Amino acid sequence: MKKITYLTLAVFILVLIGIFGIHTKDEFTDVTAEKTKVGCVLIGSVSDDSWTESHYDALEKVAETLNLEMVYCENVVDDSSCMNVMEELIANGCEIIICNSYGYGPYVIKVAEKYPSIMFLHASGTEIRENLGTYFGRAYQMRYLSGIVAGMQTETNEIGYVAAFDNSEVNRGINAFTLGVQTVNPDAKVYVAFSDSWTDYEQNEQATERLLEHHDIDVITLHADSNATLDIAEAKGIWSIGYNVDNAENYPNTFLTASVWSWEKYYEPYLKKSVQKKNIAVHYWEGVETGVVSLAPFTEHVEKETVAYVNKEYRRIQQEYYDVFYGPIYDTTGRLRVNKGEKMSDEALRYQFDWYVNGVILDE
């Protein structure tokens, strides 16, 4: 009788060990056992002090942790020629392809459908597949906070905003920034000039100069990968608010803060999933609670009262019930776009910003 009992107990223990072992293997697969080759199709340079460098810095951190061999293709134009770059990376053994610009969208989809065993991660993309995931962050939350800084810093009440393109992503940032400005300074206006390029220095330079020529701007910000706007602001003594990375050291006399990315918060878990061939077919779009977006440290040029106000609003945004686009919100024609007590849906935030909030003025 005792032998049967002991035998039953032993079998029971072995079953438990087996279950635990299977669970451990499933959840904690050793992704560093073999090196995985990852190809990166990048719209800019890895040393651009901007968008592409923010991705590069994060990928370098994650590469060591996950035993990845990174292959970077810089300054890849976002037209059909980028497909050749992707296919060459795949031919050279890359099992994961990262594309870091919205413009690659239709081409990423075609290549992903052609190579179902390859995993694709597309920054600011709009479509997913079984082997294709998209990712971005709620940078508009930081735009709002930096708008508060601009609204409290300006003395002329004329603030500049150089933007690459007129699309939902960019317009979302313009609107959030302007809402931040008007929270503390309802008399201030935000003047917007489009450069029609993420990376072209001259086009962004011209858009900046046009704003400064037409308006009495004493604070300026940007949504582009070129830092031409920050260069001009430093040269002319105009307060500046950056984007993508903290450039305070490069602009010691005028830089206030910046909306910045910590892409490793996304890359580490989703590259791990990619290596393991797990589900990546999601639209990743997280905010301040994950740390993927944040504000760069304030420089000495920002007043203590401003820091205190921004910190208060920062804490509010961390609460799930509150967000930047919380009604009532009116557009430039006076039309009520978001009702009092309501907030915009993610669908509207991501894809339906073809309008501007009251206080935005386009520089024609």
Side-chain angles (χ1 to χ4, degrees), residues 252-325:
N253 300 312
T254 58
F255 199 83
L256 301 174
T257 186
S259 303
V260 298
W261 297 101
S262 296
W263 288 116
E264 62 271 18
K265 305 294 184 183
Y266 167 80
Y267 280 131
E268 183 161 354
Y270 279 86
L271 279 171
K272 183 175 181 179
K273 287 175 182 286
S274 298
V275 170
Q276 297 172 323
K277 302 296 184 181
K278 291 187 176 181
N279 179 34
I280 60 166
V282 298
H283 290 298
Y284 177 96
W285 199 42
E286 302 299 333
V288 63
E289 70 282 354
T290 66
V292 72
V293 293
S294 61
L295 271 186
F298 298 108
T299 66
E300 61 183 8
H301 308 303
V302 181
E303 299 292 336
K304 291 181 179 179
E305 293 79 5
T306 302
V307 174
Y309 195 97
V310 170
N311 287 339
K312 177 176 71 70
E313 288 297 284
Y314 201 110
R315 289 191 292 272
R316 274 222 300 170
I317 291 173
Q318 288 178 312
Q319 307 302 313
E320 291 184 3
Y321 65 85
Y322 179 78
D323 202 7
V324 171
F325 292 98

Side-chain angles (χ1 to χ4, degrees), residues 147 150-152 154-159 177-191 218 358-361:
M152 297 182 75
T154 183
E155 295 181 0
T156 66
N157 285 340
E158 297 192 5
I159 297 167
F177 180 84
T178 304
L179 290 175
V181 168
Q182 295 196 324
T183 295
V184 293
N185 189 349
D187 294 328
K189 303 297 181 184
V190 176
Y191 296 90
D218 62 349
N358 184 38
V360 174
I361 301 175

Side-chain angles (χ1 to χ4, degrees), residues 15-76:
V15 169
L16 285 178
I17 292 172
I19 293 172
F20 180 76
I22 292 170
H23 177 76
T24 302
K25 184 177 180 181
D26 179 60
E27 294 296 324
F28 303 102
T29 301
D30 183 7
V31 297
T32 64
E34 296 182 7
K35 191 173 288 291
T36 303
K37 203 169 184 179
V38 179
C40 302
V41 181
L42 307 173
I43 193 68
S45 163
V46 298
S47 57
D48 65 1
D49 288 325
S50 190
W51 172 258
T52 293
E53 187 169 331
S54 72
H55 290 268
Y56 172 77
D57 288 345
L59 287 167
E60 286 294 288
K61 293 177 185 177
V62 174
E64 185 175 353
T65 302
L66 299 181
N67 194 18
L68 306 176
E69 178 184 344
M70 308 302 301
V71 182
Y72 299 104
C73 296
E74 303 173 69
N75 302 308
V76 178

